[in-house]
Structures are given as structure tokens and as C-alpha cells.
Amino acid sequence: MGIDNFCSLDGSDPFWDWNRTWQTHNPDLTPCFQNTVLVWIPCLYLWLFALLYILYLKRNDRGYICMTHLNRAKTAIGFTLWLICWADVFYSFWERSHGATIAPVYLVSPTMLGVTMLLATFLIQYERMKGVQSSGVMLNFWLITIVCATVTFHSKILHALNEPASVNVFKYTTFYIYYTMLLISLILACLSDQPPLFSQAVRDLNPCPESGASFLSRITFWWITGLMVTGYKRPLEEKDLWSLNTEDKSQRVVPQLVRRWDQECNKVKRPVDKTLYSPKRSAREEKKDGQPIEESEILLVKTLKKTGDPSLFCALCRTFGPYFLVSSLYKIVHDILMFVGPEILRLLIQFVNDSSAPDWHGYFYTTLLFVCTCVQTLILQKYFHVCFVTGMRLRTAIVGAVYRKALVITNAARRTSTVGEIVNLMSVDAQRFMDLITYINMIWSAPLQVILALYFLWQNLGPSVLAGVAVMVLMVPLNAVIAMKTKTYQVAQMKSKDNRIKLMNEVLNGIKVLKLYAWELAFKDKVSAIRESELRVLKKTAYLGAVSTFTWVCAPFLVALSTFAVYVLVDEHNILDAQKAFVSLALFNILRFPLNMLPMVISSMVQASVSMKRLRVFLSHEELDEDNVERPAISSSPDSIRIVDGAFSWSKGDSPTLKRINVRIPEGAFVAVVGHVGSGKSSLLSALLGEMQKQEGSVSIKGSVAYVPQQAWIQNATLKDNILFGRDGKDSWYQKVVEACALLPDLEILPGGDSTEIGEKGVNLSGGQKQRVSVARAVYCNCAVYLLDDPLSAVDAHVGKHIFEKIIGPQGLLQGRTRVLVTHGLSFLPQADLILVMVDGEITEMGSYTELLGRQGAFAEFLHTYTNTEQEEVEESVGEEGWEAEDEKGKSEEAVPRKGLENGGPAAMLGQSLNSLNAAGTGKTPQKTEPNDVATAKKTKSAEAARLTEADKANTGRVKLSVFWEYMKAIGLPLSIFSIFLFFCHHLSSLGSNYWLSLWTDDPVINNTQPNREMRLGVYGALGISQGIAVFCYSVAVSVGGILASRYLHQTMLYNILRSPMSFFERTPSGNLVNRFAKETDTIDSVIPSIIKMFMGSMFNVLGSCAVILIATPLVAIIIPPLGLFYFFVQRFYVASSRQLKRLESVSRSPVYTHFNETLLGTSVIRAFGEQQRFITESDGRVDHNQKAYFPSIVANRWLAVRLEFVGNLIVTSAALFAVMARDSLSPGIMGLSISYALQVTASLNWLVRMSSELETSIVAVEKVKEYGDTEKEAEWRLEHSTLPAGWPTAGHIEIHNFGLRYREDLELAISDISVNIEGAEKVGIVGRTGAGKSSLTLGLFRIIEAAQGEIRIDGVNIAELGLHELRSRITIIPQDPVLFSGSLRMNLDPFDGYTDEEVWRALELAHLKNFVSGLPDKLNHECSEGGENLSLGQRQLVCLARALLRKTKILVLDEATAAVDLETDNLMQSSN
């Protein structure tokens, strides 16, 4: 039975009739088609999707939604529709029973429809039970159903008007009711239901509206409009941002990646035969520790060589692939829809040429064009949304994985990556992945688009297309070569950048030393030298970029030119008419995108592969072995700490630093560890903490461990948080601890008491205070074992005594706990239960004080040597205590000398860049209220006073035009104007060539040929070549201009920051400054020039397109101005929010890196206290906080794109519509030109807005870099007309007259009315208790802080009248904290190369370092690691001494330079002076 018989038994109702549907002025479909296809399409759609949809809902259960009115209405209408369908079926049966002949279709179709409606009703309920608030599947079903029903509705009305007699009243009535119900269903499907019970959204204070938004709202991104309106009315603030969706949060995303990465690592280790390594094992057979550990370590090393590296790519694919695949689906649909435009253009030109075609054809094509472009828009934006969300999750996962890894890598691995490099992994490399994700689909999508375009071109122009293909194929290797070269430059640039950031990190951390020694210029030159090499590479990249831009802007034109040339020259009967030319042009324009994108994607992939490798290397680093230290059960043995035959090294390959260690420490014992500098005392504690590589033997510790490093590690948090360190607050215990650590007087002085915020690395505490806070942290956590690495060295003698008695000693808070104290203080030794004497990494003696004295060994000798020094110190401290009382309320802690060392103990071993001095201890920070009187102090303790660091502020409002002007000035105005002129030339010639083409296609055809075609072709080619030249020139001009601007902006920022006073560095977190030199500088280097190129290009494109459309169809002038206004409004509306979101995102990014920096410094402390999880949670929280601002900004981009593309689609539609209306007066050539330009306008508009907002958000980098030009500066470094005699100071005679200084304008004087006369060559000691103003005086002498009253004269010259460098370079200081920079030892002693090698060696000899340095393989060229971490503390102190001796100045200041040094080094330093 044929389909016709299925519809009517006698075949009178055909399935299809062309005369009725197409070739008529009043089209209609046959009843048979309406009753079959139009009914079956929605049914097939729902049945196909239902099964998949039910499975999907089963797996993604979001909770249960209670029955609501909306749901009841949907269900009721579903049932009504089902009843209507059954009514139709029963009516047909009733008719049949009354003898009418009913075709099968009238029974089959309503039955199918009825069953489908029942399924739809079931799905509505099932969705409710699975927590779906709005369903896309159902909305599409109702939409398809209503579109199909509308055709029937139109047909039924026509039928009723034309043949009223044959109307079946019952069926018509049921159909109209059915149609009305469908309309209501569609409207209800657009609404969203309430959230499921117990869902996240219900509990959240500010949930993301996405999950509760309706399907329509989701595909048009309407749900963000609320936030945009807020942003338009007032600048957005943090409180306006929504919480992140659960599936985007770190706690969900990071573990997935970590788990997959671990699986990849395990895969690599598995397939190895263990027997291969038996020789290795036998070599270690005599070891007593657990053999399997040893064995697995050997295997691990071998297997990595054997089976290659674990694949980070696979881990990423398995984690993010499934969600990302959805985007590929969207992309395929979008790519196919792209080709509908040119096809409709062909039909429209055909329609204009065919005067007999009915008018409705034109309107039909126009409507079809509008619908297709709108669907294309929605699908493309959905695709981008999926890509960006994947990119965001990817970044979260990478940052989380890097952070977790940084907490567990070994010290050896830690040395291979500097802080700068690891921070780059989190910032730059994670960003590369995010950028790539958006375009990665182009790898398969571009070839697909090219193949489709070529297919349609072949249809249009035949084999001539091959000429165009040949040109394209030639372009590919050229682009490939460019991409490869770019990769090599990329790697070189990254290397320079890493070095520059590393050096900047050190400069910022050692800024105080730079200022005291007047070394700013030497380091400025070092940074500039690295920067210049970076810019040289950038310049090469820019030239390559210009060639690449040239090829890809000209590629489509060359392809068109070669194709048309071959087409018309091969056969003179080949006529280039409008249809052929403009459909081909539209296809060439589509071709342009994949051809442009491929090289970009390839280079982006190249960059990402570099980043992937860096990440893989970092994530594959060796981890600390959990089994380095065993944790036996509490009851297992009486020993609290036990080491048997221990040999330890810092990394696997090294020879052991500690050898033959055998120690047993009973529970509750107090053990002292003594020995000379570098004898391995700190290393012993590191070994107990599991920080060192255990080569032999076994270590076990019973119970929890607390650790106080040699250099206190202080977090940027309140003082109280630093002490509690994540533990619960117990007030009485806390008070006891604070009192025992002698912190009460300090709390009186600090502006916010224990709520005072401590700056990065404890900048606003003195060395002694930091050390006491560090001790308090350990005591507060109440552990079983205490490892104390010389915590008393940095505090005054009497304070040290107090802490020892109250905490460490036999009667202290820690009595009964096991205490291991590394110390240089001899007075504490008699009270120790056990003393370990260390020499060269071995324990040479152990026993009690009396035992060791009796043995007359190394210990007794050590004691006799140093007893005298110790004796003097004790007397001095007794003297101090005598006058301490009256001074109690005297000077505030503000001027505390920065005692001792700051930051991380075996951080010393961690290769730390961020070491010591950063804090620039102006003795104290200027950020405090310093009332002289304790009573007033208490009153002023407000929350505000407790703040110290200034968070990175988000500017608000529009980016000022002055910022763009600054950037243009940085490029140079002539170059800027010339670039704009070149852009104009390029677009003028582009328009000219296309207009010329339209004139060519309208040439009359004589005898099947077009005359003048050679002339037409020649001019067309010439216009194209001029286009290419302009492109090349503007590309070079913009890139070179960008590099000039980059150089200028970086230099001025560097200079301005180095000219800032110390107070600026204490206020500004180093994270912010590093961010300026890393992220913002990178933006200025590589992002802004390319954005300017794209912005100018798309702006001229849009203007050109509008001009062409207006010339072709002047009627469009009615539509373009209102659309232009709408466009402008939407763009401004969007930019207000987008810019602020970008700023919020940028401000919340700094804390992620600051916290990361801080963690890297304190890894050993965090691990010792077992606080890794808390820090991971904190880091995750900061990343999520950052993504909270990023997520709305990507949605805002999509929101904008949907609206703007809609404007573009309206322009295309109106161009087509007015062309259809004016078909009689338009030539096909002009119409083709107009519509092919209109088809481009959407993409150009979209790109224009993206680029203008990108430009505005990127130019913020210039604003941020410039802002340090306006901050306060120090006095001039050198005065122009200096009258200073050459050898000044000749005698070193210092007169201080009525001198006073204050730390900040609004504060009391920190020291006042000081008048002293010091003759040349006198040795003067300045004493006073902590906070008396000892360091403040030295700061005044060096003018780190300017005098508030009085003056200081040196050899009769008032130092306030000198340039800072003139003063500082002629007097010398040895600061408390020994700061070294990475570089050669010689560079650390003499960065300006001002002295001969003999002088340097002489200084080293005087500093007792000559033997040590001559024993090094590279001698003076010995590379110091970041912060000089590969020298011991004592050695660093001696290098600082040598540095001072080398300068041979008449005035030498020692700011407690021996505070944290053992007695031996102290003696060496005393003897040198």
C-alpha cells in the first residue's frame, strides 16, 4: 500500500504536489503530508530522545521537587491533549461504524500522537521527581509540535474560507482546542519550577541563578541580566557575586584530576621486571631499614627511564573530556549551519534574476536566513560557554594540583624550581590551557569547514577551485614554519621572563639591603639586561607575526583571485556572474576563519605543550617519603625519639650530610644539641621531621610533633591566628602561652592587640617578636615532642632566660614533654638531661653536662672557649633588667630592632627566594598607631588600626581616556597615527576590490563572453596586492609600537618602585608587585598589541559593511541607526559590568599567589604540624573566590554575544528583505555584494565588542603599571651639583643634634631629642631593651626614615642635604639579617665590579671566609642560590661582614649583626672588627 493510499483509499489525496506548494502565489501543503509527516516529526523526536533523557535523569538526580501549580497545569494539559487525540481516534471509529470510508492515516496518526502525549505527561512528572526545574527536551518538543501544527492551522483556515461546505466541525473543533493547548504548553514550558528540596540553592545565601533558570533563559543567557543591571547602576562589589556552582568548585574538580594523574603515574611504574634491579638491591643488602621502601625507590627511578613519562594530557582528557565532548557536538551543528548563508544567498540572487518567481519565495528565503542565523548564534554561544567553563575548571584543577604537590615535594626537587617558576606554573601556564580550550576544537573543525567550503565551491565554479586550493596548500607549510619559529622564541621568552621574575622577587625581598648599600642601580641594570633580551625575542616574534598576519589576511583574497583568474581565462565562455562570484566570496569568507585559526591554534597548542611539559615535570617531582619517619604506637617503647644507624642526605644522589647517627631519647627528656656552624644541628631536626632523604637506618618518633624553625615563619594573618594556627581557641591556655612567651608587653604596644594584622613574612614584628610568636605557636598546640631550632638566639638575653624558665626548662609549661633544643646558649646546658655534640654531621659525644665535662673532649674545649663571652652576656642582661622597669612605658615596640632572622628554618634548605630581609625591618612598620602610653594604646586598638597590608584595590568606573593617551605616548604619536592610516588604506582597498568585482559581474554578456575581463582581472589583482602591503606594514608598525611601549612602561615602573621609600614596601604585599612585573607586563608585551590589531580590523570591517549595505539598499538606513543605538547601549551596558568583573577577578587573583608564596616558605612548618589539609582548603577557597568573579564575566560575554549577533542577524535579514522588495531596481551584482557583506557583519560586530571590551580590560594593565608613578618617592639618589669632597667622610666624625624621627606623619616621635658627638675611629655601643629605638637611630643615619627634628652631621656635612646614594654608598651597615642574592659570590660582595680580585680576597680573609671560599670548586664564582640558601646562616653572616669590610668606609654600623649567630661566628666577627 503506497503512501497515497494510506492517506486516501482512492488515491485522491496525493502526498506531494509541486503546483500546490511551490509554483503558486498562495502556497499550501497537501492534507496527506500534514496528516503524516507533520504529525510524525514531533512524535519521532520525543521517542528518540526519551530513552536517552530518562537514562540521563537517572544518573543526574538533583533532588525532588514538590508538586506546584505549574506542574499540575503542565500535567493537566498533557492529559487533555491525550484525551483530544483519543477523541479523534474514537470519532474516526464512530464514522466508520456509520458506513464512512476512513483512510488508515486518520486512525494511525492520532493514536501515535496520543501515545506521545502520554509519554510527554510521564516525562513532566519524571523530571519533577528528578529535580529538573526547566527542560530543554520538552520545550523543543512543544516548539516542534506547534510549528508543525501551525502549518495545518494555516491550511485549515484557507480550506474553511475556500470550501466552507466541506468542513468537518468536530475535527476542526478538536484541532483548535488541540492547538490552543499546545500554545499554553509551550508557554508553560518556558517557565521554571521551584528548586528541589534540600538543594544547594536553597541553603546558599547568594546562589548562582543558572541552575534555577528556565531553558530559554539558559540558552539566551538571560539569567545574568539581574547582575548586569546592578553593574550598570553602580560598580559591582564582591557581595554581588554569586556562589560557584558545586561542579565548578575546587573540592569537586581538583581531586578528580589528582586521582587521574596518580593513575597515570602508576601506569608508568607498573610494567617492569623487578629482577632487572637485583644488583642494586644486593648492593644495599646490609641496610637495616625496611627493604621494600628502598626497592620501590630504585624501581621508581628506573621505571621512569624505562617506560617514559606519565601523560598529563591523558589525565586532563579523562577528567574534563566527557563534559567537553558536548561542545564538539554543538560545534558540528554550528559548522553545518554556517553554509546555509551562502546557499540562501545563491537562491536570493537566483530569485532576483528570475522575474517570474512569486514574491513569497523571497520572503521565505529571508525568513529562513533569519531563523538559521539565530539558531546558529544560540548554538555557537552555548559552545563557547561549555569551552570557557571547561577552561575555568581546568585552571582550578591545575592550580590545586600544583599547590598540593608543592606541599609534598622533596627539598632536592624544591631546589630545581624557584618560587618564581612555580608561581608561573599557576599563573601563566594554567592561563595558557584556559586560552587553548576555547579553540582546541578547531583542530578537527577547521578541516571540516574547509572540506565543506570546497565542496560547495566545486559545485559553483568547477575544477577552477583547485587553483585556490593550491594557494591554500602553499600557505600551510609557511604557517607551519612560522609556528615552529614562534615556539622556539616562546621558550626563550619564557626563560627570560622566569629569570626576570625570579630576580624581581629577590630585589623586592632584599629591598632594604639594596637601599642600605645604595645598590638599586646595579640591580636595575641587571633586571633591564634580562628585559632587553626578552624584548629582542619579542621583536623577532613581532616580525614573524607580521608575516603570518599578512599571509592570513591575504590568503582568502589570493585564493579568490587565483580561482577567478583560472575560471575566466581557461574558457572564454566561462562567465563570472553575480551568483558565482558572490556565493564564492561568501564561501571564501567562511574559509578565511578556519585558515586563520589553524596557525593560531597550532601556535596556541605549541605554547600549551611547553606549559604541559613544565607542569608534567613539576608534578612528577620526587615526593617526601612518608616512611622516612616511623610513628610507632604510643605504648610500644619507652623511647620518644629513636634513630638507629641513621644516614641522611638532602637528595637521593647526594653523599650523606648526617652519618652514623644513633640516638635514643626517653619520653619527657630535655635534650640540647650543640656544635659549630654547619655541623648539622638543624639537619638533625630536619631528619627527625622526615624532611631529609633517609639513606640508611630507621627513625621513629612517638606522638605529635611541634617544630620551631631557626628563622620564624609568620603568616599574613592576625597575631592570634598565627599562634592558634588552626587549633580551637582555649582562652586560659592561650593566656598562659602568651605570658610564658613574654608577648604581653608586645600586645600592649601593637595597635590592635592580638588582632593586629601581621604583614607578609612578619614585616611589622621585630626579629625577637617573630621568634616568640613562633615559639608560642608551638607551645599552644600542646604536642608530645618539641623540636626547637635555636629559638632563643633572636631574643634579648633576659627575654631568652624568661622563655627558657617558663617554657623549655624543667619547670616550664613543657615539662614532661620531649624537648630537643638546638642552642648556642651555654647557660641552659647544665639543665639538659642529655647533650648531643655534633661535628661535621656526626654525633661525636653525648651525655649529661657533668659527664661531658668530665670527659675533657670536644665539648669541654668548646665550653672553655666560650665561657668568657657568655659570662659577659649574662652580666649585661642583669644590668638591663635593672633599668627595665622605668622604661616599661617608654618607647613603643615600634622601633624595635629587627632581631634575629625571619622566615622558615630548614626553609634555609628550601632554596627560598623569599628569604629574610624582605620585611625590610625599618625596625618597625609605619603602619601603627604608637601612643606612648599604654592606657591610650588600649583605647586606640581598633579594627582599622590592626590592618596593615593594603589589598590590591579594584578601580571603578570607565577606564579613563588618559590611560589610552599614555599608551599612545609610550608608543610615540607619529607611529600611532601612521598605523591608523595604514589600517584605513587596507580597508579602503579591500572595499574597492569587492566593489570592482560587483561591477565586473554586472558586465553585459556578448556572444556568451564578457569583454574587458583581462582589464577587470588586472585591476582586481592590483587592489588585492595593495591590500597585502598595507596589512604587512600596519602589522609591523603596531607590533614594534607595542614593544617600544612595553620597554618604556617597564623601565619607568621599575625605576619608580626602586625609588619608593621602605614604608611603601611594608604596606604593599610583594604578591601585588610581582603581579605587576609578571601578569600585567605580560599583558602589555603580548596581549595589547594583538588586541589593538584585531580591534582596528573589526571596527573598519563593520564600518565598511554598513557603508556597502547602505549604498546597495538605501532603505536599510531606516534600520541601521536604531540598531546602532541598541548596539551601543548594549555594549555600554555590558562593559560597565564586564570591566568591573575583570577588575574584581584581577584583585582576587593576587591573594592566591600571595598565599602560595607564603606556603612555599613554610612548607616544613606546615608539614611538621600536620596542617597540610587546612592550607589546601585555604588555597582552594582563594581559588574559588577568584573564579567567583571570573565565571560571571564569561557568562556576561555570552550574554552580550547573543544580543549582538541578534543585531547582526537583523542587519542581514533587513539587507535581504529590502533587496527582495527592490528586486526590480537592483542589479544582481550589487545585491550579491550587499548580502555577502551583511553575512560578515555579525561576526565583525561580535568581534568588535569582544575586542573593545578586551582592549578596555587589558589596558587596565597600563593603568596598574602607571599607578606607581604617583606614589611617594624617596629623596633624590644623587644631587646634580654636588659639592661633596671626593674622599668624604675622611674622619668619620658624627654629630647628632637634637635628632628625632617618626614612622608616619600622624604618629608620635619614635625617638626624640638625641644629641651625641662621636669622634672618628671610636667604637660606640648602643644598648637598650627591645623597642627602645636602637635600630631607629641607625635608620635615621641612613635616611631610610627622614628626620622629623634636628640633624645629623658627618664630618661637618648635614646628611639631609646629600643625595641618598652619596650618603649610603659612603657609610656601611651589617644588617641583622644576612641577605644574599642569587648569583655569584663575587656579585654578592661587589655588584658594581668596583674592586679587584685581590681586594675581594683580602676582605674574605679578614672575614675568616678565605679557606671556605678557596675550597669551593668555582671559588669566587660560586653560585649562591636564591637567598643564599646553599650557605649556612653563619657563613651568610660572614659574607655580609666581608661585604662591609670591602667597602672600607670610615663609618661601620652593626645592627645586632651577631644576634642569631653561634658563639664561634660571633667571635670571628668581633675579632674582624
Side-chain angles (χ1 to χ4, degrees), residues 179-195:
Y179 189 71
T180 314
M181 291 296 171
L182 283 181
L183 272 175
I184 298 170
S185 281
L186 182 65
I187 292 162
L188 292 180
C190 296
L191 305 176
S192 179
D193 217 331
Q194 65 180 35

Side-chain angles (χ1 to χ4, degrees), residues 1134-1135 1138 1197 1248-1258:
Y1134 155 81
V1135 168
S1138 155
N1197 275 336
L1248 177 63
V1249 170
R1250 270 185 67 178
M1251 287 306 117
S1252 60
S1253 59
E1254 285 280 315
L1255 184 61
E1256 206 168 323
T1257 44
S1258 302

Side-chain angles (χ1 to χ4, degrees), residues 886-953:
E886 78 204 40
D887 198 69
E888 193 63 66
K889 68 178 196 304
K891 306 289 176 279
S892 86
E893 241 307 337
E894 243 0 307
V896 170
R898 306 209 348 119
K899 274 247 164 154
L901 299 141
E902 23 187 299
N903 311 334
M909 306 309 304
L910 287 180
Q912 218 30 304
S913 65
L914 299 164
N915 217 4
S916 43
L917 227 209
N918 139 333
T922 51
K924 263 344 338 79
T925 9
Q927 275 64 13
K928 309 234 175 28
T929 26
E930 309 182 73
N932 249 0
D933 183 287
V934 176
T936 31
K938 282 181 179 157
K939 285 177 205 154
T940 56
K941 285 179 189 175
S942 66
E944 206 35 57
R947 299 269 320 129
L948 166 77
T949 48
E950 296 176 347
D952 220 346
K953 288 189 207 63

Side-chain angles (χ1 to χ4, degrees), residues 657-670:
T657 313
L658 301 176
K659 318 177 270 292
R660 296 190 280 284
I661 304 286
N662 281 291
V663 182
R664 296 179 63 158
I665 299 174
E667 237 170 283
F670 169 35

Side-chain angles (χ1 to χ4, degrees), residues 25 29 52 87 139 302 318 334 339 430 502 534 566 593 596 655 671 978 1029 1123 1212 1279 1357 1392 1431:
H25 286 278
L29 290 167
L52 295 169
L139 181 76
K302 288 290 183 188
R318 289 174 55 205
H334 171 259
F339 292 93
K502 176 179 155 190
E534 196 180 344
V566 169
F593 185 69
N596 296 351
S655 55
V671 181
F978 182 58
I1029 294 166
L1123 283 181
V1212 177
L1279 299 178
V1357 177
F1392 289 104
L1431 301 177

Side-chain angles (χ1 to χ4, degrees), residues 1386-1399:
R1386 194 184 197 306
M1387 190 282 301
N1388 269 295
L1389 293 166
D1390 171 27
F1392 289 104
D1393 279 339
Y1395 301 95
T1396 63
D1397 278 6
E1398 288 73 41
E1399 291 172 302

Side-chain angles (χ1 to χ4, degrees), residues 156-387:
K156 282 203 184 307
I157 288 176
L158 277 183
H159 183 242
L161 290 174
N162 296 337
E163 302 172 35
S166 61
V167 168
N168 181 327
V169 178
F170 181 82
K171 287 200 170 176
Y172 268 56
T173 311
T174 53
F175 179 77
Y176 292 143
I177 297 171
Y178 167 76
Y179 189 71
T180 314
M181 291 296 171
L182 283 181
L183 272 175
I184 298 170
S185 281
L186 182 65
I187 292 162
L188 292 180
C190 296
L191 305 176
S192 179
D193 217 331
Q194 65 180 35
L197 292 171
F198 315 118
S199 79
Q200 189 64 35
V202 180
R203 289 173 301 188
D204 216 322
L205 292 173
N206 193 3
C208 176
E210 182 183 15
S211 56
S214 69
F215 176 74
L216 270 184
S217 168
R218 284 217 295 276
I219 58 169
T220 56
F221 298 95
W222 185 260
W223 52 273
I224 193 187
T225 310
L227 187 72
M228 309 281 282
V229 170
T230 312
Y232 186 65
K233 288 182 182 161
R234 61 172 172 79
L236 287 172
E237 295 163 32
E238 230 160 70
K239 63 172 192 296
D240 301 317
L241 302 177
W242 317 303
S243 308
L244 272 183
N245 292 322
T246 322
E247 52 272 23
D248 298 332
K249 287 186 179 168
S250 296
Q251 65 199 50
R252 171 77 66 89
V253 176
V254 184
Q256 291 175 346
L257 178 64
V258 172
R259 192 172 67 247
R260 301 268 156 68
W261 170 247
D262 289 344
Q263 288 168 1
E264 289 298 321
C265 293
N266 293 336
K267 266 189 215 167
V268 177
K269 293 174 201 169
R270 210 173 295 140
V272 172
D273 235 351
K274 289 181 183 175
T275 51
L276 288 172
Y277 306 105
S278 52
K280 280 274 185 194
R281 269 157 79 190
S282 62
R284 295 174 179 245
E285 215 66 280
E286 72 281 359
K287 308 286 184 258
K288 293 182 185 169
D289 69 334
Q291 197 60 18
I293 299 162
E294 204 64 72
E295 187 182 309
S296 61
E297 283 173 348
I298 300 162
L299 282 179
L300 196 138
V301 176
K302 288 290 183 188
T303 49
L304 289 178
K305 283 182 195 161
K306 193 80 182 166
T307 58
D309 300 309
S311 165
L312 179 59
F313 180 69
C314 289
L316 291 171
C317 285
R318 289 174 55 205
T319 313
F320 303 105
Y323 177 72
F324 188 62
L325 275 176
V326 178
S327 70
S328 308
L329 204 71
Y330 288 131
K331 190 78 178 120
I332 290 174
V333 178
H334 171 259
D335 286 356
I336 292 165
L337 281 175
M338 277 173 76
F339 292 93
V340 173
E343 207 43 38
I344 293 176
L345 173 63
R346 188 174 65 77
L347 293 169
L348 276 168
I349 294 175
Q350 201 173 304
F351 164 74
V352 171
N353 281 337
D354 177 9
S355 52
S356 65
D359 282 353
W360 71 267
H361 282 192
Y363 298 120
F364 173 70
Y365 293 145
T366 306
T367 313
L368 198 59
L369 186 62
F370 180 65
V371 170
C372 284
T373 48
C374 286
V375 171
Q376 195 181 329
T377 295
L378 294 178
I379 284 179
L380 181 65
Q381 299 320 319
K382 202 68 193 147
Y383 159 73
F384 275 131
H385 184 61
V386 173
C387 288

Side-chain angles (χ1 to χ4, degrees), residues 56 67 170 270 349 363 375 431 495 535 539 553 561 670 673 942 945 973 1030 1043 1054 1109 1135 1320 1327:
Y56 169 78
M67 199 56 147
F170 181 82
R270 210 173 295 140
I349 294 175
Y363 298 120
V375 171
Q431 191 64 40
K495 199 169 175 51
L535 289 174
K539 195 170 272 183
V553 170
L561 180 66
F670 169 35
V673 182
S942 66
L973 289 178
I1043 287 167
L1054 183 61
I1109 295 169
V1135 168
V1327 294

